[in-house]
């Protein structure tokens, strides 16, 4: 039996639910990237999405820099107030895709197997 139920993945990382006692633990999502794991509620995942958007806004000054995609000077805050990450723009793009893809899949499943069922 698998111990996880994958939600979404990309070239940077993956997101999944843990399985426990023949069921799936749906109240939190495990997000794994860059040798780090975060165990977020859906609300915390939404907060992380906003942190990512804020990081893009704060780093607009680097738009014309040739090194911006390889530079690790971009600060990415997390919903955990004690944890900030230094990421490149490529990593920021990939984290954004991972979080947005995860939220999209969760919302789609909620609709298809919840309110969308007639």
């Amino acid at each position: 039996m698998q111990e996880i139920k994958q939600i979404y993945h990309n070239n940077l990382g993956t997101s999944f639910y843990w399985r426990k006692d023949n069921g799936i633990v749906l109240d939190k999502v495990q997000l794994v990237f860059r040798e780090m794991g975060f165990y977020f509620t859906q609300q915390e995942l939404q907060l992380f999405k906003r942190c990512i958007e804020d990081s893009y806004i704060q780093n607009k000054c680097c738009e014309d820099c040739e090194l911006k995609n390889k530079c690790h000077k971009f600060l990415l805050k997390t919903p955990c107030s004690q944890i900030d990450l230094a990421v490149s723009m490529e990593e920021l793009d990939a984290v954004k895709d991972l979080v947005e893809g995860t939220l999209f899949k969760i919302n789609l499943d909620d609709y298809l197997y919840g309110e969308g069922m007639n």
Side-chain angles (χ1 to χ4, degrees):
M1 181 171 102
Q2 288 182 308
E3 292 186 31
I4 65 168
K5 180 182 184 282
Q6 188 172 50
I7 301 168
Y8 186 79
H9 74 279
N10 65 13
N11 63 339
L12 180 71
T14 187
S15 63
F16 56 88
Y17 294 117
W18 285 102
R19 292 183 188 263
K20 183 178 181 181
D21 300 327
N22 296 326
I24 299 170
V25 181
L26 297 173
D27 61 333
K28 287 198 172 189
V29 173
Q30 183 75 58
L31 195 69
V32 179
F33 61 92
R34 276 186 68 199
E35 299 87 35
M36 290 176 285
F38 294 96
Y39 201 42
F40 289 146
T41 64
Q42 191 171 346
Q43 189 174 31
E44 290 169 327
L45 210 49
Q46 288 285 356
L47 285 171
F48 194 34
K49 180 182 174 193
R50 285 195 287 274
C51 290
I52 293 166
E53 292 165 355
D54 290 345
S55 186
Y56 276 105
I57 292 167
Q58 291 172 358
N59 294 299
K60 280 188 173 185
C61 62
C62 299
E63 285 293 318
D64 296 327
C65 178
E66 293 178 21
L67 300 175
K68 80 172 184 175
N69 289 327
K70 303 293 184 203
C71 180
H72 278 293
K73 293 184 179 177
F74 298 101
L75 187 63
L76 174 57
K77 294 194 175 295
T78 70
C80 308
S81 63
Q82 304 90 338
I83 300 173
D84 294 338
L85 307 172
V87 296
S88 69
M89 188 55 74
E90 289 174 347
E91 290 169 328
L92 186 61
D93 290 338
V95 172
K96 179 178 188 266
D97 174 71
L98 183 61
V99 170
E100 288 179 350
T102 300
L103 287 168
F104 176 81
K105 184 72 167 85
I106 290 170
N107 291 332
L108 179 63
D109 286 350
D110 285 350
Y111 179 77
L112 291 176
Y113 303 111
E115 65 187 65
M117 293 185 73
N118 291 329

